[in-house]
């Protein structure tokens, strides 16, 4: 009878009879489940019955020597205890049903019928049901977009409307859908708020007093009537099968079913089949491993039952797959025990002890070897071979799955094997796809891998190349064999990956364009000259931030110690703005310290070369390095694509970048610092490294403050620490000094909290008003600083003296917002030149129209003067008029030749001489604040700058008094009053300008066109990545080193056409890029 029931139950005959409660070892559900007092005091199977039964008239059982087997062995390792009572004593041998699993299944079925948000039944609300963790459908997304909500998934919308986080919901605790009524509430609130009184219920784990499985009637509570006790046969328990008393026999004092006879075997088997199918269904809902794990029926030998149970998972009853051992030394499949603990709690299914996932360990090696050596029978029809467990998968994959075998293979093998998509075997190998080729050559690949691991130290590539080389030699293809051998020995014709990466970045080739070039050259020449894209991606990892290891001493405050941080979201850590609305911007950036580390490693060769040129010993200079950083930030204006419809609102972008200006070192025995590296081109786009890109208007003070706030915090933390970085094989200590000088007038006023450029307070360096600056144009000094601006903002915010608006504005000197970024008080040379050129352009118009003799000229007269000026410049100087002054136009306009051409339109000779003198003085002053090092490049002009500025100011206040009576432009004031003081303090103005950041604006548009994608976030990441690679000195040096090999490269491709294509490859120089 035991054998028949075992065959009937199948491979799940050893499924557990009970599962423990997930929350407490001594929980109360087992005492309340049956609500029978006699069962609460039932003894263990091995103990004797108490004498209470004898007193009450119930005779005790005679003996336990006769067992009724229903397919479960008495020594089953899956037997669990239920409050000290075995399943046989509580329910009898005919109903060994796992009550806990059945309760959970019933509970989960009821949860699926309820709404997650309001708790009502889904059928009561007419309309579609939506998944609470799914994505927004098109109808909902369109409705929410019209109301300003840009979320894409329901969890985000539910969190905003109902203040409930549903991302961590579990199937055993929460419903997974919400009703149409709650959907209407979300749509009416626009995805931001709720206008209804919907209260989200608190979902609790299932217990014996679960309100969902045993609901309480509200009418009982209102009338205060005594509530009935629950029926002992709980709703979650299976109904007893009604049998005829004639089907039982008496054994001692117990009744049992007849184990023999045709008339009595059917009902018993059907009951067992029902229990087994029910148990299998419950476990399937938890583990979902039926298609992944192997059945015990595949074992070819007839092993003892107890021995077979030791290799069976105690949850799913399959052969152990990736076995793990609990602290109580029970064995499970790793995936099964993880899913089981997730649903029913961190306890062992076999002994009810605590068993967390992190406490699981691997079994002993002897057990694993015995498990892998089990002999399994191949279920494929016609095979009949036996294999060990570790080689069973390889044998199943080795079957040829053609159309005939597809129909004959068993369902278990169909679930276990991978689908063959390698194409028809009759096709030639070279005509197959790459995936089909891998499938065809899998056996040979495994053999080669085994040989390479055994004989060649795992160098599979060398083994394959050697085989190909021998095949070429045997076919008398010695030319190709020589090329392959040269390539294997490092003498091949391939370009270095860094050269290929530099070619792609500097020529702005997209992935598809570069791959097309790679395939074309390979097909034309028959050689792989350019590297494939995967090699380029591997090469660029070492050049991007987040690759090198470093350490800060002491550790940076509020900054992670992780070194492998790449491109991050600029809004990370910032949930909402001041108005509690999500940030309507997209920003991507590098972490500041990680970017500085990558920039220093890019300068490793320059730093070591500077140490050698200074005569300093490399090993002695491990500390005392000081790095000077120039920071730049400026808006790029509208960068939206103009073709097609385009966005209705202009896309404005702000870029924050930095430049490593110099590296100096103070040796232990030296008294002064020695500069070992100085940036030769500080105003080039090749040296200005991008740090942050953001879609935001530069005049948006709140968003700009929130996005640049983390960068400011990281910079302040780095000022108080020192970097330990390996340079030249030795750990060295670096300290950083930051200067925020690459800002134009508008950005300085934005980050320092000043009023706009048209304010009464004309200067960002001193406190003078526009009227004071026009009366005294030269004698001013720098008085503003970041700390003083912060103090003045506090006065503006608090108004401690209760002054009026005008009095308070005069006290704070134009401070109207909170300064959030420290800037260096200096002059931006690029925008100063553009501003002065704009002013000279207006002076030329006024002199042509003789405004000094007229009081209020009309607008038509001014238009005619400007048209005459533009025509003269276009005719004589080839200067086309521009809508807005730019750097190139300003440089060509501010020359003595232009003044001579314009003087032809000025009627008075006296005014002509005044114009010539004004331009001459300006041309002598300009090199002082434009030169990188004025003391070395223009010492004479530097000495005469004060005299020239006084003479220039006298001309403006006398000859051109009509224009500068009580007013003066911002940049003219800074040029005349503050240039000598800034140069005396910093040594230069032109080197600290924002020209590098400005000249990189065109790079953003080109890189954006190169990396055009659907998502702006990914597009911004690609632009930031390729812009960083564009500024890499490592790639620039590789291009310089390999530009002379263009002829050899072309001769390799086509020796006859090498002369014709020489000009093409000569265009790969860095300067042309």
């Amino acid at each position: 009878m035991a054998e028949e029931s075992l065959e009937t139950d199948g491979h799940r005959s050893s499924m557990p009879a009970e599962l423990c409660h997930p929350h407490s070892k001594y929980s109360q559900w087992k005492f309340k489940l049956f609500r029978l007092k006699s069962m609460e005091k039932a003894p263990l199977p091995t103990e004797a019955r108490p004498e209470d039964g004898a007193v009450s008239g119930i005779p005790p059982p005679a003996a336990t020597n006769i067992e009724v087997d229903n397919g479960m062995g008495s020594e089953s390792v899956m037997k669990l205890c239920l409050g000290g009572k075995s399943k046989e004593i509580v329910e009898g041998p005919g109903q060994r049903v796992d009550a806990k699993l059945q309760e959970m299944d019933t509970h989960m079925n009821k949860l699926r019928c309820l709404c997650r948000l309001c708790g009502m039944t889904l059928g009561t609300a007419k309309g579609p049901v939506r998944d609470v963790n799914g994505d927004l459908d098109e109808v909902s997304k369109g409705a929410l977009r019209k109301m300003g909500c840009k979320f894409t998934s329901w969890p985000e919308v539910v969190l905003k409307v109902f203040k409930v986080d549903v991302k961590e919901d579990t199937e055993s605790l929460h419903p997974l859908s919400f009703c149409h009524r709650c959907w209407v509430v979300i749509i009416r609130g626009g995805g931001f708020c709720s206008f209804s009184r919907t209260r989200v219920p608190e979902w609790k784990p299932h217990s014996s007093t679960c309100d969902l499985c045993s609901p309480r009637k509200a009418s009982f509570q209102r009338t205060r009537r005594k509530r009935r006790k629950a029926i002992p046969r709980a709703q979650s328990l299976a109904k007893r099968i009604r049998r005829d008393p004639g089907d039982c026999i008496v054994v001692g004092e117990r009744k049992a079913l007849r184990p023999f006879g045709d008339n009595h075997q059917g009902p018993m088997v059907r009951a067992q089949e029902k229990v087994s199918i029910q148990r299998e269904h419950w476990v399937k809902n938890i583990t979902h491993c039926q298609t992944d794990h192997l059945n015990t029926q595949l074992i070819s030998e007839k092993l003892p039952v107890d021995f077979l149970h030791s290799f069976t998972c105690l949850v799913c009853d399959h052969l152990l797959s990736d076995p793990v051992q609990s602290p109580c030394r029970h064995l499970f499949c790793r995936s099964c025990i993880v899913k089981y603990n997730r649903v029913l709690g961190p306890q062992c299914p076999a002994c009810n002890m605590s068993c967390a996932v992190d406490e699981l360990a691997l079994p002993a090696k002897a057990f694993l070897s015995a498990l892998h050596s089990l002999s399994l029978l191949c279920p494929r029809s016609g095979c009949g071979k036996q294999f060990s467990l570790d080689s069973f998968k390889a044998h199943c994959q080795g079957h040829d799955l053609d159309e005939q075998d597809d129909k004959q293979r068993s369902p278990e093998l169909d679930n276990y094997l991978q689908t063959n998509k390698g194409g028809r075997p009759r096709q030639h190998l070279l005509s197959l796809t790459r995936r089909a080729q891998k499938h065809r050559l899998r056996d040979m690949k495994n053999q080669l891998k085994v040989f390479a691991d055994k004989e060649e130290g795992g160098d599979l590539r060398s083994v394959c190349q050697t085989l190909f080389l021998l095949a070429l030699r045997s076919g008398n293809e010695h030319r190709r064999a020589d090329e392959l051998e040269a390539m294997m020995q490092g003498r091949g014709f391939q370009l270095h990956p860094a050269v290929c990466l530099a070619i792609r970045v500097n020529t702005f080739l997209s992935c598809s364009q570069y791959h097309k070039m790679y395939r074309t050259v390979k097909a034309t020449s028959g050689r792989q000259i350019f590297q494939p894209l995967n090699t380029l991606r591997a090469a660029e990892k070492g050049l991007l931030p987040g690759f090198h290891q470093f350490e800060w001493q002491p550790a940076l405050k509020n900054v992670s110690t992780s070194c492998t941080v790449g491109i991050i979201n600029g809004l990370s850590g910032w949930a909402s703005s001041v108005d509690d609305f999500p940030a309507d911007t997209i920003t991507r950036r590098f972490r500041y310290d990680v970017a500085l580390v990558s920039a220093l490693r890019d300068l490793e060769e320059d730093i070591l070369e500077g140490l050698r040129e200074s005569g300093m010993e490399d090993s002695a200079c491990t500390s005392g390095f000081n790095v000077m950083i120039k920071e730049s930030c400026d808006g790029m204006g509208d960068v939206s694509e103009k073709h097609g419809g385009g966005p209705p609102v202009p896309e404005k972008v702000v870029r924050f970048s930095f430049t490593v200006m110099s590296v100096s070192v103070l040796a232990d025995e030296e008294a002064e610092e020695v500069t070992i590296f100085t940036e030769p081109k500080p105003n080039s786009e090749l040296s200005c490294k991008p740090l942050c890109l953001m879609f935001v208007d530069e005049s948006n003070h709140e968003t700009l403050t929130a996005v640049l706030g983390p960068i400011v915090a990281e910079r302040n933390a780095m000022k108080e620490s020192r970097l330990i970085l390996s340079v030249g094989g030795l750990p060295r200590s670096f300290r950083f000094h930051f200067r925020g000088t690459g800002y134009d007038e508008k950005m300085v006023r934005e980050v320092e909290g000043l009023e706009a450029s048209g304010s009464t307070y004309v200067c960002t360096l001193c406190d003078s008003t526009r009227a004071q600056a026009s009366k005294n144009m030269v004698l001013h000094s720098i008085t503003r600083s970041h700390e003083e601006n912060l103090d003045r903002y506090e006065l503006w915010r608090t108004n401690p003296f209760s002054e009026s608006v005008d009095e308070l504005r005069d006290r704070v000197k134009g401070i109207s917002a909170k300064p959030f970024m420290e800037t260096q008080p200096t002059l931006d040379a690029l925008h100063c030149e553009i501003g002065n050129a704009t002013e000279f352009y207006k002076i030329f118009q006024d002199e042509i129209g003789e405004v000094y003799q007229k009081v209020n000229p009309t607008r038509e007269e001014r238009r005619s003067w400007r048209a005459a000026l533009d025509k003269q410049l276009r005719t004589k100087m080839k200067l086309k008029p521009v809508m807005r002054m730019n750097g190139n136009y300003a440089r060509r306009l501010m020359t003595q030749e232009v003044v001579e051409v314009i003087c032809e339109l000025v009627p008075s000779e006296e005014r002509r001489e005044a114009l010539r003198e004004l331009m001459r003085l300006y041309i002598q002053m300009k090199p002082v604040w434009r030169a990188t090092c004025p003391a070395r490049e223009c010492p004479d002009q530097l000495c005469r700058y004060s005299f020239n500025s006084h003479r220039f100011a006298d001309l403006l206040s006398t000859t051109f008094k009509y224009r500068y009576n009580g007013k003066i432009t911002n940049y003219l004031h800074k040029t005349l009053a503050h240039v000598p003081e800034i140069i005396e303090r910093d040594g230069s103005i032109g080197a600290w300008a924002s020209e590098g950041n400005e000249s990189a604006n065109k790079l953003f548009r080109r890189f954006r066109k190169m990396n055009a994608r659907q998502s702006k976030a990914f597009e911004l990441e690609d632009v930031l990545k390729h812009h960083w690679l564009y500024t890499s000195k490592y790639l620039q040096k590789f291009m310089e080193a390999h530009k002379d090999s263009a002829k050899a490269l072309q001769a390799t491709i086509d020796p006859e056409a090498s002369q014709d294509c020489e000009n093409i490859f000569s265009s790969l120089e860095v300067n042309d890029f």
Side-chain angles (χ1 to χ4, degrees):
M1 179 64 189
E3 294 179 359
E4 294 176 358
S5 61
L6 181 62
E7 293 177 358
T8 305
D9 261 353
H11 60 283
R12 298 192 175 277
S13 59
S14 58
M15 199 58 199
E18 281 296 317
L19 291 177
C20 59
H21 193 266
H23 301 287
S24 174
K25 183 177 180 181
Y26 302 101
S27 57
Q28 300 296 323
W29 70 272
K30 49 183 172 261
F31 301 112
K32 298 179 181 179
L33 183 61
F34 300 100
R35 303 185 182 276
L36 295 177
K37 187 175 181 181
S38 60
M39 290 186 180
E40 294 181 6
K41 299 181 180 181
L44 292 174
T46 56
E47 297 178 359
R49 294 272 184 163
E51 297 180 358
D52 299 347
V55 174
S56 59
I58 302 175
T64 60
N65 53 355
I66 299 178
E67 294 184 359
V68 180
D69 196 353
N70 67 339
M72 300 279 291
S74 60
E75 300 295 329
S76 174
V77 295
M78 297 292 293
K79 181 185 296 183
L80 300 178
C81 294
L82 182 64
K85 308 177 294 297
S86 65
K87 197 67 177 179
E88 291 83 352
I89 298 176
V90 175
E91 294 185 347
Q95 290 187 344
R96 300 179 59 183
V97 180
D98 197 337
K100 188 57 183 175
L101 272 177
Q102 189 176 5
E103 284 184 9
M104 288 300 301
D105 188 66
T106 306
H107 181 75
M108 291 167 63
N109 288 334
K110 292 184 178 181
L111 284 177
R112 295 187 186 101
C113 302
L114 301 180
C115 176
R116 170 65 175 87
L117 303 178
C118 62
M120 303 294 291
T121 307
L122 295 175
T124 58
K126 296 183 180 180
V129 178
R130 290 169 175 84
D131 187 6
V132 76
N133 284 310
D135 297 332
L136 292 175
D137 54 280
E138 295 299 331
V139 177
S140 305
K141 187 183 298 183
L144 294 178
R145 280 292 175 90
K146 293 179 181 179
M147 306 181 73
C149 179
K150 298 183 179 180
F151 294 130
T152 59
S153 60
W154 285 117
E156 299 173 340
V157 179
V158 170
L159 179 62
K160 193 67 178 179
V161 176
F162 295 97
K163 311 300 181 185
V164 176
D165 188 7
V166 298
K167 293 182 179 179
E168 302 297 331
D169 286 3
T170 57
E171 187 178 1
S172 60
L173 187 59
H174 306 89
L176 301 181
S177 305
F178 65 97
C179 62
H180 187 69
R181 187 186 298 106
C182 298
W183 179 83
V184 173
V185 171
I186 293 174
I187 296 301
R188 288 178 178 176
F192 295 101
C193 58
S194 174
F195 295 104
S196 67
R197 299 181 180 179
T198 303
R199 293 185 179 181
V200 180
E202 181 181 358
W203 301 98
K204 299 181 180 180
H206 173 68
S207 62
S208 59
T209 60
C210 178
D211 295 334
L212 187 60
C213 299
S214 303
R216 300 176 181 177
K217 294 185 179 180
S219 59
F220 291 164
Q221 299 176 1
R222 290 195 301 267
T223 58
R224 294 185 180 181
R225 287 187 292 168
K226 185 177 180 180
R227 183 180 177 184
R228 296 180 181 179
K229 292 186 177 180
I231 302 176
R233 185 174 60 201
Q235 181 182 1
S236 60
L237 295 180
K239 186 178 180 180
R240 294 181 181 270
I241 302 175
R242 189 171 183 179
R243 296 186 180 88
D244 188 7
D247 292 339
C248 301
I249 60 172
V250 179
V251 182
E253 297 294 333
R254 299 173 58 190
K255 288 186 177 181
L257 294 178
R258 294 182 181 270
F260 52 86
D262 298 335
N263 297 330
H264 306 282
Q265 186 176 0
M268 185 65 186
V269 173
R270 285 195 298 270
Q272 292 172 358
E273 287 179 352
K274 182 177 180 181
V275 171
S276 177
I277 293 174
Q278 209 168 15
R279 186 183 296 111
E280 182 178 355
H281 175 69
W282 293 330
V283 177
K284 184 188 297 183
N285 289 339
I286 295 178
T287 61
H288 301 283
C289 65
Q290 280 71 21
T291 60
D292 299 330
H293 298 170
L294 293 176
N295 196 339
T296 55
Q297 294 180 354
L298 294 177
I299 298 179
S300 60
E301 302 177 4
K302 293 185 178 181
L303 302 176
V305 176
D306 295 338
F307 181 78
L308 185 60
H309 285 169
S310 61
F311 297 107
T312 306
C313 175
L314 298 183
V315 176
C316 67
D317 204 30
H318 289 127
L319 283 178
L320 289 170
S321 175
D322 190 12
V324 291
Q325 181 175 315
S326 62
C328 51
R329 300 194 178 184
H330 292 117
L331 296 170
F332 316 96
C333 302
R334 183 184 297 273
S335 60
C336 297
I337 188 63
V338 169
K339 296 175 183 177
Y340 178 90
N341 288 350
R342 189 182 304 163
V343 176
L344 296 178
Q347 292 180 344
C348 176
C351 62
N352 204 22
M353 291 183 62
S354 176
C355 177
V357 177
D358 53 357
E359 298 177 353
L360 300 175
L362 290 177
K365 292 184 179 180
F367 175 81
L368 293 177
S369 61
L371 173 64
H372 293 158
S373 62
L374 287 177
S375 179
L376 302 181
L377 183 64
C378 179
R380 181 185 175 88
S381 61
C383 181
K385 296 183 180 180
Q386 297 182 6
F387 292 90
S388 58
L389 180 61
D390 53 355
S391 60
F392 183 74
K393 183 177 180 180
H395 166 71
C396 293
Q397 292 177 345
H399 283 296
D400 296 329
L401 301 180
D402 51 339
E403 296 180 356
Q404 297 179 358
D405 293 339
D406 249 345
K407 300 178 182 179
Q408 297 177 1
R409 69 174 186 261
S410 63
E412 286 194 13
L413 185 61
D414 188 23
N415 295 330
Y416 188 68
L417 285 178
Q418 298 178 354
T419 306
N420 181 6
K421 296 183 180 180
R424 295 176 298 173
R426 294 187 301 273
Q427 293 178 333
H428 192 270
L429 184 63
L430 296 179
S431 64
L432 300 177
T433 61
R434 183 174 300 177
R435 185 174 182 180
Q437 291 173 350
K438 292 181 179 179
H439 181 76
R440 179 81 65 84
L441 301 176
R442 63 188 182 278
D443 292 336
M444 188 180 72
K445 180 182 177 181
N446 295 334
Q447 296 176 5
L448 288 177
K449 188 175 182 180
V450 172
F451 174 80
D453 293 340
K454 184 177 180 181
E455 302 292 341
E456 301 297 331
D459 193 357
L460 182 61
R461 180 179 180 181
S462 298
V463 175
C464 296
Q465 288 179 345
T466 306
L467 284 175
F468 183 47
L469 178 63
L470 295 177
L472 292 177
R473 296 292 187 191
S474 62
N476 293 328
E477 299 184 22
H478 297 289
R479 180 180 177 182
R480 295 181 61 187
D482 293 339
E483 295 173 1
L484 178 60
E485 190 172 4
M487 189 184 302
M488 293 171 59
Q489 296 175 0
R491 299 181 289 104
F493 301 101
Q494 290 184 349
L495 291 176
H496 194 276
V499 179
C500 299
L501 183 60
I503 291 174
R504 188 203 164 191
V505 171
N506 287 277
T507 55
F508 307 100
L509 293 177
S510 63
C511 292
S512 58
Q513 291 172 340
Y514 178 84
H515 186 64
K516 183 177 180 181
M517 180 188 69
Y518 160 76
R519 294 181 59 185
T520 303
V521 173
K522 185 177 180 181
T524 304
S525 63
R527 302 177 180 87
Q528 183 176 318
I529 296 177
F530 291 99
Q531 298 285 352
L533 277 173
N534 62 319
T535 307
L536 267 62
R537 293 190 182 99
E540 70 185 18
K541 289 181 181 179
L543 302 177
L544 292 173
F547 182 79
H548 305 285
Q549 298 293 322
F550 59 91
E551 181 185 0
W552 287 93
Q553 293 182 357
L556 299 182
K557 296 180 181 179
N558 300 327
V559 179
S560 172
T561 57
S562 176
C563 302
T564 57
V565 180
I567 299 177
I568 60 176
N569 186 3
L571 299 177
S572 58
W574 179 55
S576 59
S577 65
V578 179
D579 300 328
D580 197 21
F581 281 100
D584 191 13
T585 180
I586 300 175
T587 172
R588 292 292 182 271
R589 72 179 182 96
F590 296 112
R591 212 176 73 189
Y592 207 162
D593 58 330
V594 180
L596 289 177
V597 167
S598 181
L600 286 180
R601 288 302 301 265
D602 196 29
L603 297 173
E604 182 176 8
E605 296 182 3
D606 296 319
I607 294 175
L608 297 179
E609 184 179 356
L611 289 176
R612 289 191 296 267
E613 292 179 355
S614 302
M616 306 178 71
E617 188 176 355
D618 185 17
S619 60
C621 300
T622 57
S623 61
F625 286 87
N626 292 315
V627 184
M628 187 64 66
I629 302 296
K630 177 181 73 173
E631 296 179 335
S632 305
C633 185
D634 190 24
M636 287 182 276
D638 186 11
V639 296
S640 58
E641 299 292 338
K642 298 303 181 182
H643 57 77
V649 180
E651 294 178 344
K652 295 187 177 182
V653 177
V654 175
R655 177 178 53 252
F656 187 92
S657 56
F658 69 92
T659 304
V660 181
M661 296 295 292
S662 63
V663 180
S664 59
V665 61
L666 180 61
D668 297 336
E669 300 178 357
E670 299 292 336
E672 296 182 355
E673 285 188 349
V674 179
T675 302
I676 58 177
F677 169 76
T678 302
E679 177 57 50
K681 298 179 180 179
N683 291 324
S684 172
E685 67 271 16
L686 295 175
S687 60
C688 189
K689 294 184 174 295
L691 182 68
C692 180
L693 292 175
M694 62 197 96
F695 281 103
V696 65
D697 191 357
E698 58 180 326
S699 60
N700 190 344
H701 185 81
E702 289 79 9
T703 306
L704 206 63
T705 304
V707 173
L708 296 181
I711 297 179
V712 177
E714 293 169 6
R715 182 182 66 172
N716 295 336
M718 287 187 287
K719 288 181 180 179
E720 303 174 358
S721 182
R722 59 192 181 97
L723 173 67
I724 307 299
L725 178 65
S726 175
V727 176
L730 296 175
R732 306 178 193 272
S733 173
F734 296 87
R735 286 192 178 274
F736 293 92
H737 306 274
F738 301 92
R739 283 188 181 180
T741 60
Y743 304 92
D744 59 356
E745 178 89 6
K746 182 178 181 181
M747 185 59 69
V748 169
R749 291 179 177 272
E750 189 67 37
V751 301
E752 288 288 359
L754 295 171
E755 295 176 351
S757 300
S759 170
T760 305
Y761 297 92
V762 64
C763 187
T764 60
L765 305 178
C766 64
D767 299 333
S768 60
T769 61
R770 199 173 296 274
Q772 295 172 352
S774 63
K775 292 180 181 179
N776 183 11
M777 296 186 180
V778 180
L779 300 178
H780 295 276
S781 61
I782 300 176
T783 57
R784 290 186 185 270
S785 63
H786 183 70
E787 292 76 14
E788 186 178 4
N789 292 339
L790 286 172
D791 297 338
R792 289 176 175 177
Y793 170 73
E794 289 299 323
L795 292 177
W796 172 264
R797 187 178 63 85
T798 57
N799 192 10
F801 305 105
S802 301
E803 297 173 315
S804 64
V805 176
D806 295 335
E807 294 174 346
L808 183 61
R809 184 166 174 264
D810 184 64
R811 179 182 292 274
V812 299
K813 305 299 181 183
I815 299 294
S816 60
K818 182 178 181 180
F820 65 91
M821 180 174 290
E822 181 180 1
T823 60
Q824 184 80 1
T826 185
L827 172 67
D828 185 25
L830 174 64
H831 292 88
C832 181
E833 182 178 2
I834 295 176
N836 292 339
T838 304
E839 189 63 22
F840 267 84
Y841 186 79
K842 295 178 180 179
I843 292 176
F844 293 156
Q845 296 181 37
D846 295 342
E847 291 300 318
I848 292 174
E850 297 180 330
V851 181
Y852 61 92
Q853 296 179 356
K854 301 178 181 180
V855 181
N856 292 318
T858 62
R859 183 176 299 178
E860 287 75 13
E861 291 177 340
R862 290 189 176 276
R863 287 179 179 175
S864 63
W865 302 337
R866 180 173 182 176
L869 176 60
D870 291 341
K871 182 179 180 181
Q872 185 75 359
L873 292 176
R874 187 190 305 112
T875 305
K876 298 298 182 67
M877 301 301 299
K878 307 300 181 183
L879 275 175
K880 297 181 180 180
V882 292
M883 296 294 296
R884 186 179 181 182
M885 184 68 66
N886 54 59
N888 293 330
Y889 194 91
R891 280 187 287 270
R892 297 185 62 185
L893 182 67
M894 304 303 289
T895 59
Q896 202 69 35
E897 292 79 4
V898 171
V899 174
E900 294 297 333
V901 171
I902 295 174
C903 286
E904 298 177 2
L905 303 178
V906 179
S908 173
E909 183 64 28
E910 181 182 358
R911 309 299 296 186
R912 296 175 189 170
E913 291 298 327
L915 277 179
R916 294 188 182 100
E917 180 68 13
L918 195 68
M919 181 61 71
R920 186 185 63 81
L921 292 174
Y922 181 82
I923 292 176
Q924 290 184 2
M925 291 189 299
K926 175 183 173 181
V928 177
W929 45 267
R930 282 297 287 170
T932 303
C933 183
R936 184 176 65 250
E937 299 177 14
C938 51
D940 296 338
Q941 288 89 338
L942 180 61
C943 294
R944 294 177 56 86
Y945 192 89
S946 298
F947 173 79
N948 291 333
S949 61
H950 279 79
R951 178 59 183 155
F952 193 92
D954 292 339
L955 281 175
L956 294 182
S957 59
T958 56
T959 308
F960 302 94
K961 185 178 180 180
Y962 67 92
R963 185 168 180 83
Y964 299 100
N965 186 13
K967 59 181 180 179
I968 192 173
T969 62
N970 304 359
Y971 283 112
L972 269 180
H973 164 72
K974 293 179 180 179
T975 304
L976 298 175
H978 298 300
V979 169
E981 184 179 359
I982 296 174
I983 291 181
E984 183 179 0
R985 183 195 64 192
D986 298 337
S988 174
I989 294 179
W992 299 91
S994 65
E995 192 168 0
N997 195 40
E998 288 287 341
S999 60
N1001 290 348
K1002 62 181 182 296
L1003 294 178
F1004 178 86
R1005 294 174 175 86
R1006 298 200 64 177
F1007 282 125
R1008 190 181 185 188
K1009 185 177 181 181
M1010 164 186 170
N1011 300 286
R1013 300 176 70 171
Q1014 294 292 332
S1015 173
K1016 288 185 180 180
F1018 292 114
E1019 187 178 272
L1020 212 60
E1021 290 183 10
D1022 293 339
V1023 172
L1024 184 60
K1025 178 182 69 174
H1026 286 99
H1027 193 174
W1028 182 276
L1029 295 174
Y1030 185 87
T1031 61
S1032 173
K1033 294 186 179 296
Y1034 178 78
L1035 296 182
Q1036 297 169 18
K1037 291 177 181 178
F1038 258 97
M1039 286 300 299
E1040 286 288 340
H1042 287 76
K1043 68 178 182 179
D1044 297 332
S1045 61
K1047 292 182 180 180
L1049 176 63
Q1050 177 60 22
T1052 302
I1053 299 176
D1054 191 358
E1056 298 179 357
S1058 59
Q1059 298 297 330
D1060 300 335
C1061 299
E1062 179 178 354
N1063 296 329
I1064 297 178
F1065 280 91
S1066 63
S1067 64
L1068 295 179
E1069 298 184 4
V1070 177
N1071 299 332
D1072 295 338
F1073 291 147

